[in-house]
Amino acid sequence: MSIETLEYDMIGVGFGPANLAIAIALEEDSRTRESGLRYCFLDSKPAFEWHGGMLLENSRMQISFLKDLATLRNPASRFTFVNYLHEKQRLLPFINLGTFSPSRIEYNDYLRWAAAHFDEHVHYGEQVIAVEGVEERGEVQRLRVVSRLADGRTRTRLTRNLVVGIGAQAAIPELFAGLQGESRLIHSSQYLERIGQCCPEREGRYRVAVLGSGQSAAEIYSDLAGRYPQAEISLVMRAQAMRPADDSPFVNEIFDPAFTDVVYRQPQPVRRQLIRSLSHTNYSVVNLDLIESIYQDLYQQKVVGSEQRRLLANRQIQAVAASTGGMRLSLRDTQSGGEELCEFDLLVLATGYRRDAHWRLLEGIERHLQEAELERSYRLPTRPGFQPNIFLQGCCEDSHGLSDTLLSVVAVRSQEVADALLEACCQPQVACA
Ligand SMILES: Cc1cc2nc3c(=O)[nH]c(=O)nc-3n(C[C@H](O)[C@H](O)[C@H](O)COP(=O)(O)OP(=O)(O)OC[C@H]3O[C@@H](n4cnc5c(N)ncnc54)[C@H](O)[C@@H]3O)c2cc1C
């Protein structure tokens, strides 16, 4: 059967940790085999990689390794981080490190190791560009999923169910929107891919500004300081100060899978308020260790009378312009009211991410969607006459809470989706057995 006519029970769009956890949950569920579930995942990247642009040498996970792809759902799974260590013969040395936070490089390796088990179910290098309903006798029973390959060709597949787990996309502030394609402007998500090209000489006296006050901004600022010892590096932020991420134990309970129910049960205004009140756990915050090391470095500069690295806090960017001399930023000090013009060889936007791309992807079936709330099982409510189930992953913070965009709940959430999916697929009228 050709790809165009083969019908899947489920297609997963994206193969990051969220959909990888679903692949694992399906693999470990006997109903998957019993029903002969036909499924695949499509990912735009050429191979598995987890935030490759930010796999910085000194970066660490901001979550316990026990919140891996499987442990909280099934500690006996072969896909746990502990089993990964065991297979890689690093279990004892890892224990000796005495940490719950592996490096991001190691965690990426773990995820890649787990992803490799599903090679026959994953098609890399395919960016899904459209999802359309296939109408038959006034009903939509199936979806047509259109993907684009690296060489521009497109491919179409049919499926009865869809799981959208496409993560986040770079957020570019309005002021910079007209400068996309400018080689002296990069978003943090592309940092490692582009920094060597932008600043090729280790001893170069580059003038680099990192814009932002969150973890990525602080990590990139520190990385630049180590990478280019002669460079002038400025961390430009609207905030008065870098604030530490609150990962104290009571607060951390908001990332427990059970807290998803607590959030979901609230009426929308209460939920919004709850999420806002806890945002200091995740947004525009930095690990305390990193804050302290940046402070220490800036203090040491004062001692030796250097201004090579600067923290420009309380700065509002008024304008940005690309000139032959560099990228010119017009900055207003929101405390003193003073304005200054600064020129840089490179701007790094550590301005965060947006999570709305799934709506563009689903435009083709928009008229079949109800305006009601996302279901607890992450299923999008659809209108009568529309049979496919569509599940959303990682873009449901508004309804399911702050853990939704993180790794904290992926293991447990994957079972919730797998249950809903397998239930739908194994209904008698759907021939999946
Ligand atoms: C630098 C960084 C560090 C982080 N560290 C942590 C941490 O320590 N702990 C934590 O809990 N969270 C962390 N996060 C949050 C992060 O969201 C999660 O770690 C995790 O990546 C979420 O998994 P996901 O599968 O939802 O999304 P992603 O990991 O973003 O995966 C989405 C996948 O979908 C693919 N894709 C996108 N669009 C399409 C399309 N149209 N067609 C096909 N494929 C597509 C992408 O190529 C990607 O592989 C971090 C985020 C960043 C940016």
Side-chain angles (χ1 to χ4, degrees):
M1 217 181 262
S2 83
I3 277 178
E4 312 271 327
T5 50
L6 177 72
E7 185 173 301
Y8 289 92
D9 296 306
M10 186 277 279
I11 290 183
V13 185
F15 199 59
N19 273 348
L20 170 54
I22 289 181
I24 295 173
L26 289 175
E27 163 85 11
E28 294 185 347
D29 197 311
S30 59
R31 291 171 294 173
T32 304
R33 267 176 302 283
E34 286 157 19
S35 66
L37 193 82
R38 274 202 295 244
Y39 63 98
C40 76
F41 295 89
L42 309 175
D43 197 287
S44 47
K45 294 203 191 101
F48 187 92
E49 191 174 52
W50 179 63
H51 302 305
M54 283 295 289
L55 288 176
L56 305 176
E57 247 170 56
N58 294 319
S59 61
R60 309 207 69 77
M61 292 304 291
Q62 291 176 281
I63 202 167
S64 160
F65 69 83
L66 291 171
K67 290 186 173 177
D68 60 23
L69 295 164
T71 300
L72 290 179
R73 176 181 57 77
N74 173 18
S77 165
R78 61 192 262 244
F79 293 99
T80 63
F81 186 76
V82 169
N83 189 43
Y84 153 79
L85 290 174
H86 172 69
E87 284 204 6
K88 297 281 175 177
Q89 300 180 350
R90 288 204 307 273
L91 186 50
L92 277 167
F94 184 84
I95 293 170
N96 290 337
L97 286 177
T99 182
F100 277 96
S101 321
S103 71
R104 276 216 295 272
I105 290 174
E106 183 170 34
Y107 209 76
N108 176 55
D109 192 58
Y110 156 64
L111 294 171
R112 202 168 39 195
W113 164 85
H117 289 80
F118 298 95
D119 276 349
E120 65 179 273
H121 287 289
V122 189
H123 303 281
Y124 292 103
E126 292 200 35
Q127 182 181 12
V128 176
I129 52 171
V131 176
E132 298 153 3
V134 182
E135 293 217 18
E136 287 154 287
R137 294 181 292 280
E139 285 228 331
V140 176
Q141 299 273 357
R142 298 171 300 165
L143 298 172
R144 196 178 288 118
V145 178
V146 186
S147 58
R148 188 166 45 220
L149 281 69
D151 61 10
R153 279 180 303 145
T154 57
R155 215 165 251 176
T156 303
R157 294 178 176 83
L158 295 173
T159 183
R160 288 185 177 273
N161 302 288
L162 195 72
V163 182
V164 181
I166 56 174
Q169 290 67 42
I172 309 292
E174 197 61 34
L175 266 180
F176 297 86
L179 292 169
Q180 291 191 45
E182 164 61 60
S183 61
R184 293 164 297 177
L185 179 72
I186 60 182
H187 185 266
S188 58
S189 56
Q190 314 159 310
Y191 175 68
L192 282 181
E193 284 143 36
R194 298 206 28 213
I195 189 63
Q197 243 174 337
C198 296
C199 303
E201 310 287 338
R202 180 172 157 77
E203 298 303 324
R205 296 180 179 273
Y206 304 112
R207 299 161 302 165
V208 186
V210 182
L211 314 184
S213 59
Q215 183 70 21
S216 291
E219 285 184 6
I220 290 175
Y221 169 86
S222 297
D223 184 82
L224 286 165
R227 194 178 286 268
Y228 303 110
Q230 308 298 331
E232 281 176 26
I233 302 155
S234 305
L235 185 54
V236 182
M237 58 174 73
R238 238 185 342 226
Q240 147 80 28
M242 266 182 263
R243 293 196 313 152
D246 187 344
D247 61 352
S248 54
F250 291 113
V251 168
N252 232 10
E253 289 186 351
I254 67 158
F255 297 111
D256 291 358
F259 201 73
T260 306
D261 286 320
V262 175
V263 176
Y264 191 80
R265 274 200 302 266
Q266 311 300 322
Q268 184 61 282
V270 179
R271 196 190 284 157
R272 213 169 275 151
Q273 168 55 24
L274 181 65
I275 291 171
R276 204 177 307 126
S277 72
L278 296 166
S279 68
H280 59 293
T281 52
N282 188 31
Y283 292 110
S284 300
V285 288
V286 181
N287 276 359
L288 185 57
D289 288 355
L290 186 51
I291 294 179
E292 286 172 348
S293 101
I294 291 174
Y295 197 89
Q296 168 81 35
D297 174 62
L298 291 173
Y299 178 79
Q300 190 60 21
Q301 280 198 157
K302 285 188 212 279
V303 173
V304 297
S306 161
E307 285 201 341
Q308 209 186 326
R309 291 183 284 281
R310 300 182 300 167
L311 181 71
L312 302 178
N314 302 306
R315 295 308 201 280
Q316 178 80 41
I317 301 170
Q318 305 284 86
V320 56
S323 72
T324 42
M327 300 296 288
R328 202 170 292 154
L329 285 186
S330 161
L331 300 174
R332 195 172 83 83
D333 185 323
T334 54
Q335 275 186 350
S336 69
E339 302 220 353
E340 62 194 317
L341 214 55
C342 302
E343 207 162 59
F344 298 98
D345 300 311
L346 178 69
L347 301 179
V348 183
L349 298 179
T351 44
Y353 294 84
R354 349 173 13 135
R355 291 179 182 268
D356 52 7
H358 56 289
W359 294 126
R360 283 190 294 285
L361 208 60
L362 299 176
E363 260 166 14
I365 52 161
E366 200 180 345
R367 68 198 168 88
H368 299 288
L369 304 179
Q370 277 189 38
E371 278 189 22
E373 179 124 296
L374 190 70
E375 292 175 16
R376 174 61 184 82
S377 66
Y378 303 90
R379 186 181 359 220
L380 267 177
T382 52
R383 295 187 193 284
F386 185 89
Q387 300 303 331
N389 296 287
I390 301 174
F391 300 91
L392 300 182
Q393 298 287 277
C395 51
C396 319
E397 185 181 279
D398 285 352
S399 50
H400 289 67
L402 282 160
S403 53
D404 188 71
T405 65
L406 304 173
L407 298 168
S408 338
V409 294
V410 288
V412 172
R413 186 178 67 188
S414 63
Q415 187 66 58
E416 292 166 354
V417 174
D419 284 343
L421 184 70
L422 288 165
E423 208 174 287
C425 288
C426 298
Q427 275 171 13
Q429 74 269 27
V430 181
C432 66

